[in-house]
Amino acid sequence: MLSLETKSIIKATAPVLAQHGTTITTEFYRSLFDAHPELLNVFNHANQAKGRQQTALANTVYAAAVHIDNLEAILPSVVQIAHKHVSLGIVPEQYPIVGEYLLKAIKTVLGDAATPEIINAWAEAYGFIADVFISVEAGMYKKAEEQQNGWKLFKEFKVVDKVQESDAITSFYLQPTDGSKVPAYQPGQYISVRVHIPGETYTMIRQYSLSKAADEESFRISVKRESDLDPNGKVSVYLHEQLEVGGTVEVTPPAGEFVLNEASSGPVVMLAGGVGITPLLSMTERLLQSAAVRETLFLHAARSEKEAAFVNELQQLSATHEELTYRAFFSDTDNGFITRDILATVPKAADVYICGPVGFMESMIANLVALGFSEEQIHYEFFGPAIPVKAFATS
């Protein structure tokens, strides 16, 4: 356990982290990659370029400082981050390296204000928190490896089919090259895909939601092609333009906490924005396969009908399953947005699942909170590093 002196110092320095957190984490990543460029094989270069990873880490460190007396309060965040770590192949021996450069960054940014007592306290706290992550992740690795058709870290998969779903989104069906089946997964989970792009020094990893209900034959990911100018576009452009049927990628076992609550029996609302439809489609397919009939409303927002994926599939599912109602909203038309008035008509007892661009999700959550939906009813996941939700902070 952490000493009382250490806890006191950590709590006292929490306001400093709130003020300088992103500066510290930016310096941390710069110095870490200068000394250990091999870690660029693990970290998402696009999130680094956009500053999202730096902000997410600063928020995590600050939360740990604020709750140092009761770290159980941040356990849900620890589990969510641990899922990300496991899907990226983070291993215990990397934690001391991260700790070393995080402490160096604190010292660099704070200068003389970072006294030996402060640095020592943070070293002790980091070691304690790192041990928590390592323990949680060890359990996840064990579970992933020991499940039927499971494995640990990365495994080679081949593309067995490639289907264009819209002008922007293409699906890839993936099977293990060793001829084995794929493990079961919870609807809403994701996999990491690691690629070796010709001409690039480092491997690149992206996480993609599994876009169909689980079966033994294959995984399906549905990828939006980003702009060539967007840092996120490097991998998506490679997948769309160069990876063909017969090509291979490396894949981690399914992970993630944004999953369908199958223990509930009440109505369900899916709010999908753009490519955020992918985990919600998996959930919807699972709902329709279940013996428990649950009223399901699927509201799907996209910029245009040409860019929207799975419209025909969802229309067909809605036509053959009376418990499913599907509505599409295209922002290039008069009926283009999911408004608060529309949300006011959904069942007040529903579990609501939301996925899409940050602005879309913040708008949906803020409107639901204003309409009286509780935080427990609202389930969501951001693509990439998580960010705080203002509606929950002020509600």
Side-chain angles (χ1 to χ4, degrees):
M1 298 296 293
L2 296 174
S3 67
L4 291 176
E5 181 181 4
T6 292
K7 291 181 179 180
S8 177
I9 292 172
I10 296 300
K11 286 189 288 186
T13 54
V16 178
L17 289 181
Q19 182 179 357
H20 299 288
T22 303
T23 304
I24 291 170
T25 55
T26 300
E27 169 61 20
F28 157 70
Y29 282 117
R30 184 200 63 76
S31 61
L32 175 70
F33 295 143
D34 283 348
H36 293 275
E38 74 279 3
L39 291 177
L40 288 166
N41 289 309
V42 177
F43 285 85
N44 186 316
H45 308 180
N47 289 334
Q48 292 291 322
K50 292 183 174 183
R52 292 184 65 187
Q53 193 69 57
Q54 295 89 329
T55 301
L57 178 59
N59 291 338
T60 301
V61 174
Y62 176 69
V66 169
H67 297 286
I68 199 68
D69 277 329
N70 178 27
L71 287 173
E72 287 187 1
I74 64 168
L75 187 59
S77 295
V78 169
V79 171
Q80 182 185 45
I81 295 168
H83 272 280
K84 297 283 187 182
H85 286 177
V86 168
S87 77
L88 293 171
I90 300 298
V91 292
E93 51 265 33
Q94 292 169 333
Y95 276 92
I97 298 172
V98 168
E100 176 186 352
Y101 286 90
L102 182 59
L103 294 172
K104 285 182 177 180
I106 292 173
K107 180 65 177 175
T108 297
V109 172
L110 300 186
D112 292 341
T115 64
E117 291 78 14
I118 289 175
I119 295 299
N120 289 338
W122 272 101
E124 183 184 348
Y126 175 82
F128 180 84
I129 295 168
D131 286 344
V132 172
F133 273 101
I134 290 170
S135 176
V136 171
E137 289 160 17
M140 291 180 177
Y141 278 125
K142 186 174 186 290
K143 181 179 179 181
E145 187 173 21
E146 293 182 353
Q147 68 181 320
Q148 186 174 7
N149 301 316
W151 73 95
K152 183 179 179 181
L153 299 174
F154 287 88
K155 180 175 179 176
E156 187 178 70
F157 276 61
K158 64 182 175 182
V159 179
V160 296
D161 200 6
K162 181 177 179 180
V163 179
Q164 186 171 348
E165 308 289 0
S166 73
D167 284 0
I169 296 172
T170 295
S171 288
F172 299 82
Y173 290 77
L174 308 173
Q175 291 180 347
T177 56
D178 64 9
S180 63
K181 301 295 186 181
V182 300
Y185 55 86
Q186 294 177 274
Q189 289 192 303
Y190 56 82
I191 56 173
S192 283
V193 173
R194 183 165 69 184
V195 297
H196 303 256
I197 299 178
E200 293 293 331
T201 303
Y202 303 103
T203 59
M204 294 188 181
I205 302 173
R206 294 292 186 271
Q207 292 164 329
Y208 298 109
S209 299
L210 293 157
S211 61
K212 63 171 179 151
D215 61 49
E216 290 187 329
E217 298 306 314
S218 65
F219 291 147
R220 184 178 74 180
I221 57 171
S222 303
V223 181
K224 178 186 175 185
R225 188 196 189 285
E226 304 289 351
S227 165
D228 294 332
L229 302 178
D230 188 327
N232 272 318
K234 190 158 299 214
V235 174
S236 71
V237 169
Y238 168 75
L239 295 178
H240 276 247
E241 296 187 357
Q242 297 185 51
L243 184 65
E244 300 297 343
V245 172
T248 61
V249 295
E250 294 175 290
V251 172
T252 57
E257 285 286 285
F258 178 61
V259 296
L260 179 67
N261 179 10
E262 297 190 62
S264 176
S265 59
V268 178
V269 176
M270 304 292 184
L271 301 178
V275 75
I277 192 174
T278 51
L280 305 186
L281 180 59
S282 172
M283 293 181 188
T284 300
E285 289 184 352
R286 175 59 187 159
L287 281 169
L288 299 179
Q289 292 172 357
S290 173
V293 177
R294 298 173 65 183
E295 178 188 356
T296 303
L297 174 63
F298 199 118
L299 303 182
H300 179 193
R303 284 186 290 191
S304 69
E305 188 171 3
K306 289 183 177 180
E307 292 189 29
F310 304 112
V311 173
N312 290 339
E313 183 173 334
L314 280 160
Q315 287 175 337
Q316 291 172 5
L317 288 173
S318 180
T320 55
H321 294 82
E322 62 181 24
E323 68 269 31
L324 173 65
T325 301
Y326 171 72
R327 294 180 62 188
F329 300 82
F330 305 123
S331 56
D332 64 348
T333 68
D334 292 337
N335 183 29
F337 300 95
I338 303 173
T339 64
R340 183 178 296 187
D341 287 343
I342 291 169
L343 293 176
T345 66
V346 308
K348 293 299 183 289
D351 281 319
V352 185
Y353 296 84
I354 312 170
C355 193
V358 172
F360 169 83
M361 293 180 60
E362 289 185 328
S363 173
M364 295 299 100
I365 292 170
N367 283 329
L368 289 167
V369 170
L371 290 168
F373 284 81
S374 69
E375 187 170 350
E376 290 70 31
Q377 289 177 270
I378 303 172
H379 314 273
Y380 61 93
E381 180 166 61
F382 291 101
F383 290 136
I387 64 172
V389 178
K390 295 176 183 177
F392 289 149
T394 58
S395 62

